[in-house]
Amino acid sequence: MENKKKESLFTKYIKMFYGVSGPLDEYKRQEINRIGNNSFIACWWYILTSNLIFLYYGFNDPKHSFIAYACINFVFIMFISIYIIVASRRARLTTNEVSVFDYKHEKRKALYKGVGLGIYFGFGMYIIMPLSAVFIDHESYVGQLIHPDGGFLSFILMGLYFGVCMYIIMRIRIKKMK
């Protein structure tokens, strides 16, 4: 029997965040550190400059400043996320190399993960979406859970779409070793 060393929870989160499959060897760890450091430096400069700009702007028009700050933060997070995805792919951190014998098993595993992630996403949206009705329209949270605005079919379709997308992504990442 093989004696495997258990991964820490932090290592599992790092692998999940960067999309790393397989063991976290020294090369992958170095690339993750490089990508993370580049992202941190960009975030540091962004936070420094945006806080100064919006601090000044916020005194004159606080409501519009808050809305602009939230929107620009969202756009910046999307840019950083795209950078992390592209850099991880270029460094070949996301490629899942499997032997010819394990290929069918990995495809089936990707299907199960896609289904699980779709269910998880659909249920998460079912729980989170009524919060927007509570904060924006001042409606009852329980009422929105029982009778959601888009109906239950919308959450099922969201989960299905997300699950299919995740399956396709995981399936593309599987490469046969020869």
Side-chain angles (χ1 to χ4, degrees):
M1 189 186 292
E2 239 177 81
N3 208 1
K4 289 189 175 183
K5 195 166 106 175
K6 287 198 93 175
E7 292 180 334
S8 69
L9 188 61
F10 182 72
T11 303
K12 288 180 183 179
Y13 282 136
I14 292 289
K15 286 174 63 174
M16 182 184 71
F17 185 78
Y18 286 95
V20 175
S21 58
L24 195 61
D25 59 4
E26 190 60 35
Y27 168 75
K28 289 179 181 178
R29 194 174 293 275
Q30 267 184 331
E31 288 300 312
I32 287 171
N33 286 337
R34 181 187 61 79
I35 295 167
N37 286 339
N38 290 342
S39 300
F40 171 77
I41 291 169
C43 287
W44 188 84
W45 280 108
Y46 168 75
I47 290 170
L48 179 72
T49 56
S50 67
N51 279 338
L52 292 175
I53 292 168
F54 287 109
L55 183 66
Y56 174 75
Y57 182 60
F59 284 120
N60 298 333
D61 194 1
K63 182 179 178 183
H64 290 108
S65 175
F66 173 75
I67 292 170
Y69 195 55
C71 291
I72 292 172
N73 279 345
F74 179 76
V75 170
F76 179 77
I77 287 172
M78 290 299 110
F79 277 122
I80 288 293
S81 299
I82 290 169
Y83 165 72
I84 290 171
I85 290 168
V86 169
S88 296
R89 186 172 171 97
R90 281 188 183 159
R92 299 188 189 270
L93 298 177
T94 59
T95 304
N96 184 10
E97 294 180 346
V98 296
S99 68
V100 177
F101 304 111
D102 292 335
Y103 187 69
K104 281 188 177 182
H105 175 70
E106 287 296 321
K107 282 184 2 183
R108 187 175 300 121
K109 195 167 139 181
L111 177 66
Y112 291 147
K113 273 188 171 181
V115 169
L117 287 170
I119 291 170
Y120 178 72
F121 182 79
F123 184 72
M125 289 284 95
Y126 172 70
I127 298 298
I128 292 172
M129 289 296 283
L131 289 176
S132 64
V134 169
F135 290 119
I136 295 171
D137 300 330
H138 305 291
E139 295 181 14
S140 166
Y141 180 75
V142 175
Q144 282 295 312
L145 280 178
I146 295 170
H147 302 289
D149 284 337
F152 292 106
L153 183 62
S154 65
F155 299 114
I156 293 169
L157 291 176
M158 278 191 270
L160 182 67
Y161 177 74
F162 185 79
V164 167
C165 288
M166 295 312 298
Y167 168 72
I168 290 170
I169 289 169
M170 287 184 277
R171 181 73 175 74
I172 288 171
R173 290 179 176 178
I174 298 174
K175 304 288 184 216
K176 282 185 195 177
M177 288 178 36
K178 295 183 180 188

